[in-house]
Amino acid sequence: MTERLQPQSGEVIDRSTPLPFVWNGKECTGYVGDTIASAIMANGHRIFARSMKYHRPRGLLTADFWDPNAFVQVDDDPNVRSGHRLLEVGVTVSPQNVWPSLDVDVKAANQLVGRFLSPGFYYKTFIHPQKLWPAYEKVLSTFAPGGEVDIETPLAYHDKRYTHPDVVVAGGGPAGMAAALAAAEAGASVLLVEHEHGLGGHLRWGSDEERAVAADLEAKVRAAGVEVLTDSTVTGRYEDNWVGIVQRSHPIAVERLIKARAKTLVVAAGLIERPYVFAGNDRPGVMLSGAVRRLINLYAVKPGERAVVFSANDSGDASVADLERAGVEIAAVVDGRTTGNVIATHGSQKAIKSVELSGGRTVEADLLVTAVGWTAPTSLLNMAGDRPVYDPAVARFFPSGTPDNVLVTGGLAGDGTLDQLIEHGSATGSLAAGRAVAIAHRLQAATVRAAAVEGAEPDLAADVRTPLGRDPHPELFRSTTHGIVDYSEDVGSKDLVSAAKEGYDSVELLKRYTTATMGPAQGKLETVNTVAVLAEARGETIAEVGTTIWRPPYAPITLGALAGRIFEPERVSSIHPWHVANGAKPILAGQWIRPEHYGDPAGEVTNVRTNVGIIDVTPLGKLVLDGPDVPKLLNLLYTNSWNKLDVGSVRYGLMCAEDGVVMDDGVTGRLSENRWLMTTTSSGAGSVWEWAENWLQTAHPDWEVFVTPVTTAYTSINVAGPKSRELMSRLTDIDLDPDAFGYMKVRTGEIAGVDDCIMWRIGFTGELSYELHVPAGYGLHVWEALLEAGADLGVAPFGLEAQRIMRIEKGHFIVGQDTDGLTKAPTTGLQPLIKLDKDDFVGKPELTWAMEQDLPVLVSVKMTDKTIVPPEASQIVRPGTNEILGRITSSRYSPTLGESIGLAQVPPELASAGSELTVVLTSGERTTAVVQEHHAHFDPEGARLRV
Amino acid sequence: MLLVPCPHCGPRNQSDLRLVGATVPRPDPNATTPEEWGDYLYLRDNPADWIEETWYCRAGCRRYFTLTRHQGTNEFRNPPMPGDKVGTATYTTISVGSSGSQPGANIEPHTTGGAS
Ligand SMILES: [Zn+2]
């Protein structure tokens, strides 16, 4: 049953389009244009929720985004701000924080024992004994406010956008619109962001005349080419006017996070009406003047039958007129500008029956409207470094000074007639556009080799605006009684006074101790009252107490919007389609999707050891180095020597950072006199490139070296196994005779009909093997040619897992797996590759000292129990104790040896062959491992790869 | 998110670049002491004042360059010019003999824009 007023001239509902929905289990009907809250009110319901701590029934207070009493669950969407969210057809809306129901709430008994919920109650009560915490947590979580998250909810699309307007205007009221219009007319690109569903600010629920002014401004704004975002909020202002905006009105994305880089930011956020503190101020039926004006003028909803209005300003006076027009009986108007005051409301928990006024008078009413002043939402100014100053004559904070690229207008800047506000906004917009030109010039001029700028920098436009005035306003924060200060956190003025007496008398401490201002409204409604109550308790002024600093975000952003569209690419090699078609199990390695195995990793190992296998190693980092000074670069980056590497040879290199910690390793081959191919670890492909450029550009700009990343320009395939030479001989004319093309040599030529291939003989697997780097466009062709040509040899693909097993069998370490952020080069056992006689190399001093130090040693180990494979990172401890001595860095069951093998980092005293190590398994059980003489478990002489 | 004046690419979001850190000279690797080397690796003055620091334009021109930034206000000044000192040595374009190379030039304030 819908109860609406006669059509109102400024209503935003479309009465021709009814929307059925369910509230609290009851069938209801609203209209297109309704907020969920206005539709619920229109169906005759007054109770929206129960309060967080005391579970007191609550009704609408502000009827907008910030309403602390109007959080609801909409279908599977919890914590919806029903004062803001528009009604949609068929939704099921449920109250939150009520158990077992909105009407009967068991936890409301809390209010009877309210003294146990005094400030700091949770800290004091649940701190000891610690072992009871799990039990406490269960009890507390049933009391926690909030809706229910449905984990079955399907993922929804969220988006991100980047934009670079000259001017961003935060707030689309009269001043904001005027600013946007003036800036656009001055030639600036302008983005106007409005928090509510339509432009106009407070004019939206104003008189016909006021709405006409707003409509005229809006038409001009749109005609001027200003981009307008409604139902969107500027959530933060960061360095150099990096402005975050959450757009809730995107047609596809649930929410979109916009990152705007503005030359100038105009803050026209308006003012937020402040509640009044008195006994019973949270009883349903107590509303702010803005709430009743919205309900009547925008939604044609009658907020009550008989009203008392406590007014200290124009908004309160206007609400009296609105109420009268809506047919609400005015029981009393109390003037806050004189001596009138509201002492308390009386009635049931769910409704007001009477209002107690100063002078001992009590008036029957079901609605109490308060209009006691404004909070200046200075958040964006705070974020720009401003520290607003309190003006007692006007009872609100004003900006004290912002950077050149942040300008303030509208109610944040002062008071005035509508014409004066528009004039100030307009002047602000012109100023913003003028400054944007100077700032753009300055930014471009700072970048000397980018596009040049013409002429001298224009002067930064001076601020010659006529300042807005300040209308006197009485300081009305708390009556002679105590009431709720923070509705969403259920914190009362009495709680604040007692917390101050306990010593929490600085505003930042008080806030954290009592949680006042820390609820969903984030201080928009309650900060100034909190400060005022504290000032009263301390016997000081509000200016002396100061205020808390507003921090981003101004309005909440969903985690989905923050995560947004993620720009992390997934990379695949040119052979990827074949892997997919042939049953490879994919594994994500960094950004790369790679085959872990093709069904039987142990069988793949055996096939490499007996026949021949091929593996796609495309992610291997590859850099082409050109120039006569490449040996100098290699000598600098690697610890070993590169002076005498002939054309046609390759060499393994170990790379350390300046602190001596192992950073990367890989093979580099000399293709011709001045051309080299360097390979890096897959994960190091990008960082080694930056590293090489760093040294070339900053330390040795005189060296003649070009570095060209070619990781994805080549598809890389390792052909490994005793039959690999036979296989390759069928696909290339390159002379493969071991005397002509020996171990650690490189050749270039044609493979499977493809020109410009690079092939070198190395052996990560420990078998005779050729690593091919073929132009990426032909990668799949060469792969398939290898399989076809070697069918009779038993050629088969192998994946990362088989390669891991074989490299452990050979005792080869992997940087980042067997080394960590503290592993210096000598730990790896590669001391012969640390050439301290070189004049210089990265990390030389550190490694000079490290060679003398007792560093951990990387060793190969076998488990005493051949069937146990300890998980990688299992701790090695001193027997009989929990003292950690080292860890297993790699471990696998070796199908070749039939044993459990691994690598470990151990202290020097446990590094000699035969040392027994105590290894702790995940279960807590202990097992032993034995240190081996050689790193290689298999073919320690390396005979197999040198054939 | 700072707006960093890359000398080649124009003003760029900080996330397009990597801040290498305050520019400190590398000690002579053959004559240094553990104390001096430790200072070079780990210790920075971190004043609330102007410092010289090295940036790498990793998502743009891929050049390393030195900028002067006030650590209190994050203001940049002295846009670098070709030939400015970068990192531990001097920034010039390598191998290609590009215009404006002035090996050995130190940072001087440049009050006007444009490649003069
Ligand atoms: Zn750049």
Side-chain angles (χ1 to χ4, degrees), chain A residues 400-445:
Chain A
S400 65
T402 56
D404 291 340
N405 57 3
V406 177
L407 300 168
V408 193
T409 186
L412 277 177
D415 301 305
T417 63
L418 186 50
D419 283 346
Q420 287 169 329
L421 285 171
I422 290 171
E423 193 185 314
H424 190 269
S426 192
T428 304
S430 304
L431 183 59
R435 289 202 173 164
V437 171
I439 290 166
H441 191 285
R442 183 187 304 167
L443 288 172
Q444 195 58 44

Side-chain angles (χ1 to χ4, degrees), chain A residues 449 658 690 697-698 701 844, chain B residues 7 13 26 30 40 64 89-90:
Chain A
R449 297 190 66 186
E658 287 278 60
E690 291 189 4
Q697 291 182 31
T698 70
K844 180 182 176 184
Chain B
N13 280 343
R26 185 173 186 250
N30 296 306
Y40 158 65
Y64 287 82
T90 301

Side-chain angles (χ1 to χ4, degrees), chain A residues 622-626 633-634 636-637 655 663 678 680 684-710 842, chain B residues 8 18 20 54-58 60-65 86-96:
Chain A
K622 294 177 279 290
L623 300 171
V624 166
L625 310 176
D626 282 301
L633 176 67
L634 296 172
L636 179 69
L637 297 183
M655 193 179 289
M663 188 180 145
M678 172 195 273
T680 74
S687 53
V688 172
W689 179 25
E690 291 189 4
W691 187 238
E693 286 289 349
N694 190 348
W695 287 95
L696 284 172
Q697 291 182 31
T698 70
H700 300 285
D702 52 320
W703 288 359
E704 292 190 23
V705 181
F706 273 126
V707 182
T708 312
V710 294
V842 178
Chain B
H8 311 282
R18 181 161 60 83
V20 179
T54 304
W55 288 81
Y56 176 55
C57 187
R58 60 188 315 218
C61 59
R62 293 197 168 268
R63 305 305 299 175
Y64 287 82
F65 46 84
V86 172
T88 57
T90 301
Y91 160 59
T92 61
T93 45
I94 43 169
S95 308
V96 289

Side-chain angles (χ1 to χ4, degrees), chain A residues 31 33-40 63-66 70 72-88 91 93 195-197 231 248 254-255 299 558:
Chain A
Y31 291 125
D34 260 325
T35 64
I36 290 170
S38 68
I40 291 172
D64 65 2
F65 191 94
W66 304 113
V72 297
Q73 175 114 12
V74 179
D75 294 330
D76 59 356
D77 200 356
N79 302 320
V80 171
R81 293 162 185 261
S82 69
H84 179 81
R85 177 79 66 89
L86 296 181
L87 180 67
E88 289 176 72
V91 290
V93 184
H195 181 69
E196 303 244 359
H197 297 283
D231 193 11
R248 296 175 295 265
V254 177
E255 269 190 9
Y299 309 109
T558 60

Side-chain angles (χ1 to χ4, degrees), chain A residues 475-496:
Chain A
E475 291 185 279
L476 289 169
F477 306 107
R478 185 174 78 83
S479 181
T480 53
T481 49
H482 281 290
I484 293 292
V485 172
D486 186 327
Y487 289 76
S488 41
E489 294 288 300
D490 244 358
V491 179
S493 50
K494 222 183 240 175
D495 300 325
L496 298 178

